Amino acid sequence: MNRDPVLEDLVTEGLTGYYFDDARELTDKLGTFFDEDHEGQAQACIAKTRTYTREIFGSKVSSVYEQAVADYAATYDVEKMRAVGDFMYLTLQRDADQEPLKLLIPMDDFFDLKIGLQARLDAWVVTNYLQFQNYYRAWMAARKKLSSRDMTAWQLKDWLVRRRGLDTAKASAVVEEFIARNYLDDQDYAQNKAAYWQGMGSSRKTIRRKLLRDGLEAGLVESVISQMDPDLEYDSARKAALGMLKTMKAQSARYKRQLVVRRLENRGFSPEIARQTGEDLELEQDDGEALQHALDNAARLYISLEEDKRKEKILQYCLRQGFTADEVQERLPDVFARMERQTLAAETGAGHAEEDASADSQED
């Protein structure tokens, strides 16, 4: 049986009264009461009731009403409201203030409190929500950030601390709530990014490094990497190799394959995948044209050197591009002859320009 809590300060068992929970206990307590001397009990009861005189009771009631009037005067009227994502943006006004108060309140709380236009919010409720405005605004900014960019939980927490000024505890709270609402999912992030990067030609090693750099747990990263289709590793390497070939114009076919293999290994592909990719490359090129391209590059690069030194440098340059010394030596005379013609043409053009300038000067 539940006893009235109002009696806790009034009834002291056996001194100012008795408690009972059923008819049998009531009978027993009545027998006890009539068998005892009540002088001491009477004095105890008088002492208990001294704090409940009419004056004291009236003063307390008056205080309650005065507090109610003060609280009512401090309440805010809801003049406007607008939904903003997970929040309701309220415009509040009260007689004591000249300017309205803008207040963000979580949508769940808005419905729980049954807030509507012209509703009244007491000052204590408003003050409580005012303490969380920076937190709520950071929340809204984070939602906007996620709408334009995928992020891991670690990245979002770091962004909230560095860019929104939240302390670590509050930033962690936002992240945890986002995870609970499925706004953040590190598993989906890892899988989607791994698939995208592999499709762009990244190796497993590179993908692993990128995912760890984004703050994902090592166990999650390894789980995602292990689920990747191993056959796609070769496809990624081939796509990367084709991109590399676009920048290779002055190398021999043999050297291009070697260069592709080395670069693939540097990107994190296994030696086996890199070697197989290099061997499978279909190079539709004329090595003679590639050699000529290399010779032209070297000639421009070393044009200011003396002839013997220039020959040496051009030979070294072409050898580094995978051509043989015999191939280079065979074409060097043509290269130098063309360079002499270009030099002569340039000098002749300069001479004509000087003559024209001199003629113009004499006419003036």
Side-chain angles (χ1 to χ4, degrees), residues 166-183:
L166 291 187
D167 60 39
T168 303
K170 287 187 174 65
S172 296
V174 172
V175 169
E176 289 172 6
E177 288 197 60
F178 274 34
I179 292 173
R181 292 171 180 254
N182 294 319
Y183 297 160

Side-chain angles (χ1 to χ4, degrees), residues 274-338:
R275 184 170 56 255
Q276 185 64 49
T277 303
E279 292 174 357
D280 293 346
L281 284 177
E282 298 176 0
L283 301 177
E284 298 179 0
Q285 75 167 50
D286 179 0
D287 264 7
E289 182 178 343
L291 173 56
Q292 188 61 54
H293 194 83
L295 287 166
D296 291 341
N297 286 346
R300 285 193 296 270
L301 187 60
Y302 303 116
I303 193 170
S304 62
L305 300 179
E306 295 181 358
E307 183 173 336
D308 290 342
K309 189 66 174 178
R310 192 188 316 165
K311 286 182 179 180
E312 179 184 349
K313 286 293 186 180
I314 291 175
L315 177 60
Q316 291 176 355
Y317 180 92
C318 294
L319 291 176
R320 288 198 297 269
Q321 306 308 313
F323 299 102
T324 66
D326 290 341
E327 291 173 328
V328 178
Q329 294 286 4
E330 182 180 349
R331 294 217 183 182
L332 272 179
D334 292 338
V335 172
F336 275 87
R338 186 168 61 256

Side-chain angles (χ1 to χ4, degrees), residues 41-82:
Q41 290 181 330
Q43 295 301 320
C45 289
I46 292 172
K48 277 282 187 181
T49 58
R50 284 197 182 102
T51 57
Y52 298 95
T53 64
R54 288 179 298 178
E55 291 77 9
I56 294 176
F57 179 77
S59 176
K60 290 184 177 180
V61 170
S62 177
S63 297
V64 170
Y65 279 105
E66 288 173 359
Q67 185 62 52
V69 170
D71 289 345
Y72 184 81
T75 57
Y76 292 83
D77 293 319
V78 179
E79 292 193 339
K80 297 178 183 179
M81 55 188 191
R82 175 169 56 92

Side-chain angles (χ1 to χ4, degrees), residues 29-211:
K29 294 295 176 69
L30 285 172
T32 301
F33 175 75
F34 288 116
D35 288 341
E36 291 181 347
D37 177 15
H38 304 300
E39 182 63 28
Q41 290 181 330
Q43 295 301 320
C45 289
I46 292 172
K48 277 282 187 181
T49 58
R50 284 197 182 102
T51 57
Y52 298 95
T53 64
R54 288 179 298 178
E55 291 77 9
I56 294 176
F57 179 77
S59 176
K60 290 184 177 180
V61 170
S62 177
S63 297
V64 170
Y65 279 105
E66 288 173 359
Q67 185 62 52
V69 170
D71 289 345
Y72 184 81
T75 57
Y76 292 83
D77 293 319
V78 179
E79 292 193 339
K80 297 178 183 179
M81 55 188 191
R82 175 169 56 92
V84 184
D86 299 310
F87 297 86
M88 188 66 76
Y89 194 58
L90 305 178
T91 300
L92 308 177
Q93 184 69 63
R94 64 179 176 180
D95 295 338
D97 301 327
Q98 293 183 350
E99 298 294 329
L101 176 67
K102 309 294 185 179
L103 188 74
L104 282 170
I105 181 171
M107 195 66 75
D108 292 344
D109 292 2
F110 173 80
F111 288 113
D112 289 343
L113 295 173
K114 297 180 174 59
I115 298 174
L117 285 175
Q118 305 308 316
R120 298 183 69 86
L121 299 180
D122 67 54
W124 183 87
V125 171
V126 173
T127 300
N128 181 65
Y129 282 110
L130 282 174
Q131 298 174 11
F132 292 94
Q133 295 304 291
N134 288 339
Y135 179 86
Y136 295 153
R137 286 189 172 85
W139 171 298
M140 293 172 61
R143 283 284 282 148
K144 183 177 180 180
K145 187 71 174 178
L146 287 177
S147 69
S148 61
R149 173 190 168 188
D150 292 333
M151 300 179 78
T152 65
W154 178 85
Q155 287 174 326
L156 181 60
K157 179 180 176 181
D158 180 66
W159 182 82
L160 286 167
V161 172
R162 290 188 300 102
R163 301 298 296 274
R164 301 303 303 184
L166 291 187
D167 60 39
T168 303
K170 287 187 174 65
S172 296
V174 172
V175 169
E176 289 172 6
E177 288 197 60
F178 274 34
I179 292 173
R181 292 171 180 254
N182 294 319
Y183 297 160
L184 271 178
D185 191 321
D186 279 357
Q187 179 80 30
D188 284 349
Y189 178 94
Q191 291 174 340
N192 293 337
K193 286 295 187 180
Y196 172 76
W197 287 328
Q198 189 172 45
M200 294 298 291
S202 294
S203 67
R204 289 190 174 196
K205 183 177 180 180
T206 299
I207 293 171
R208 178 185 290 106
R209 185 179 68 251
K210 288 182 176 181
L211 292 176

